[in-house]
Amino acid sequence: MEWFLIGAALVAWLIYRGSNQWERRPVTASMLAGDSGRQPKVPAKWIASGEGVRVAGVSINSGMFYLGGSFAGKPGAENCLVDPTCQVGSIRGDPEGKTLPYWPSYHSISPGARRTYLEWLAGGRNDPSIGIGYIFIFFYALERRLFIDEARNEASAMAAEVRRLLALHGENYSFKGYASKFLDVADLMANPDISRPALSPDLRSGYEMPLSIRLHLGRKLGSKLPFDSTDALLWVLSLPDTQLRTPASRCFEELAELWHVRFASRYPDGLKVNSPRTKIKVEYRAASGGFGGRVDLSDSELGPLPDVAALSTPIDGLRDL
């Protein structure tokens, strides 16, 4: 009996000692990964234009998107991120994008829709019939690249791509509005020098005057210079409520010539406009909903520029021309 008690005590002591040694072992990252089966996500990488990658068996050579699992703590939404760990269908699904939510993301769409998106990227983003939700997923990446990564040296290339997409999908009012805002700022980043935009029968940009025209006319107001006939016509044509009739659009050059004649007759010394107190401000709100902020548009010589969009008095007289 005595030997039995001694043996039992020895076994209990060994079990206690072994359990303490197990509890004191340090827990490593590899141990946690082994238990959960999860691996750390690969940091996102910007795939430059012309750079080739392969995702889920799809070769993509056009670039201009983010590839990886996470933005590693950087601000902004990740809805543009092409995560290579996401399941991708073997065939295309939902090319019209009917199942995509209002704010789509690569991570949230179906495997078949991911296949559609990847093949659209691989095809050079040229399919005019693709659902607009896929366009927005791609557009989110351009927004992030320009405003969060601050890739100003790529602003011109991104603006060119957005203009190309507008030519294919500009009938979608939502995309046209967001894309126009993007182009306003991207063009300014690509070329900070303020210049007068060219006359065109369709200068309207949604509910606001185009930024390029506001900057040009704002600089004239800040310099206390009168508007000439081209300035005045730019002003009128860019107003959100201006709608040229079909004959005027078709014969735009003749319309412009007649405008110049009538303007010179009524305003031989140019149109003097009192500068408003309101200054030009642009609050950029990303289409992705992931970020936003104010863009500094101060002139290097004049400082904050007056906003011609805040004026209404001279417009009535100009419309009569």
Side-chain angles (χ1 to χ4, degrees), residues 6-214:
I6 293 174
L10 179 61
V11 170
W13 179 79
L14 289 173
I15 293 174
Y16 172 78
R17 184 172 182 272
S19 64
N20 275 355
Q21 287 181 337
W22 174 257
E23 290 174 357
R24 291 172 184 171
R25 288 178 60 191
V27 179
T28 64
S30 59
M31 290 168 59
L32 291 175
D35 289 341
S36 64
R38 297 178 181 177
Q39 297 294 333
K41 288 190 174 183
V42 177
K45 175 190 176 185
W46 172 253
I47 306 301
S49 178
E51 181 179 352
V53 294
R54 191 172 179 84
V55 183
V58 180
S59 296
I60 306 172
N61 299 312
S62 53
M64 301 187 82
F65 67 95
Y66 289 97
L67 178 65
S70 171
F71 282 113
K74 291 185 178 180
E78 297 189 353
N79 42 18
C80 64
L81 184 56
V82 175
D83 188 343
T85 66
C86 289
Q87 181 183 356
V88 176
S90 58
I91 58 174
R92 297 179 65 191
D94 191 22
E96 296 180 357
K98 292 182 178 180
T99 63
L100 272 61
Y102 185 79
W103 277 291
S105 70
Y106 182 82
H107 186 270
S108 67
I109 61 179
S110 69
R114 292 190 193 112
R115 168 69 61 175
T116 297
Y117 181 65
L118 293 176
E119 291 187 358
W120 175 72
L121 292 177
R125 306 180 292 271
N126 292 320
D127 185 357
S129 65
I130 196 75
I132 198 65
Y134 299 106
I135 310 299
F136 270 110
I137 294 176
F138 174 76
F139 182 69
Y140 297 159
L142 299 185
E143 287 185 316
R144 184 182 183 95
R145 183 63 175 168
L146 185 61
F147 294 104
I148 294 183
D149 290 353
E150 297 182 348
R152 290 173 176 260
N153 60 322
E154 300 172 25
S156 180
M158 286 188 278
E161 177 61 13
V162 170
R163 284 192 171 88
R164 191 184 69 84
L165 291 174
L166 267 176
L168 293 172
H169 310 282
E171 75 284 350
N172 183 277
Y173 193 78
S174 178
F175 177 64
K176 183 177 181 180
Y178 281 113
S180 298
K181 279 278 191 181
F182 179 91
L183 288 173
D184 279 343
V185 181
D187 287 341
L188 186 63
M189 288 183 176
N191 183 19
D193 296 332
I194 298 175
S195 59
R196 179 157 65 184
L199 286 172
S200 166
D202 186 13
L203 289 173
R204 295 177 305 147
S205 178
Y207 295 108
E208 294 183 348
M209 292 177 61
L211 180 59
S212 58
I213 295 177
R214 291 164 65 195

Side-chain angles (χ1 to χ4, degrees), residues 177-290:
Y178 281 113
S180 298
K181 279 278 191 181
F182 179 91
L183 288 173
D184 279 343
V185 181
D187 287 341
L188 186 63
M189 288 183 176
N191 183 19
D193 296 332
I194 298 175
S195 59
R196 179 157 65 184
L199 286 172
S200 166
D202 186 13
L203 289 173
R204 295 177 305 147
S205 178
Y207 295 108
E208 294 183 348
M209 292 177 61
L211 180 59
S212 58
I213 295 177
R214 291 164 65 195
L215 288 171
H216 166 67
L217 297 181
R219 186 161 193 177
K220 279 218 160 182
L221 289 172
S223 301
K224 302 186 184 305
L225 296 174
F227 290 1
D228 61 24
S229 61
T230 301
D231 295 330
L233 185 54
L234 280 171
W235 189 5
V236 173
L237 291 176
S238 64
L239 293 172
D241 59 347
T242 295
Q243 181 69 51
L244 290 182
R245 296 181 179 179
T246 301
S249 297
R250 290 178 177 175
C251 304
F252 183 73
E253 291 185 4
E254 291 79 2
L255 172 68
E257 289 180 6
L258 180 60
W259 171 276
H260 294 318
V261 171
R262 291 184 175 180
F263 183 92
S265 176
R266 182 176 295 186
Y267 306 103
D269 298 323
L271 176 64
K272 296 179 181 179
V273 181
N274 293 325
S275 181
R277 294 182 179 180
T278 304
K279 305 300 181 182
I280 299 176
K281 298 176 183 177
V282 173
E283 296 284 348
Y284 189 88
R285 296 297 173 188
S288 65

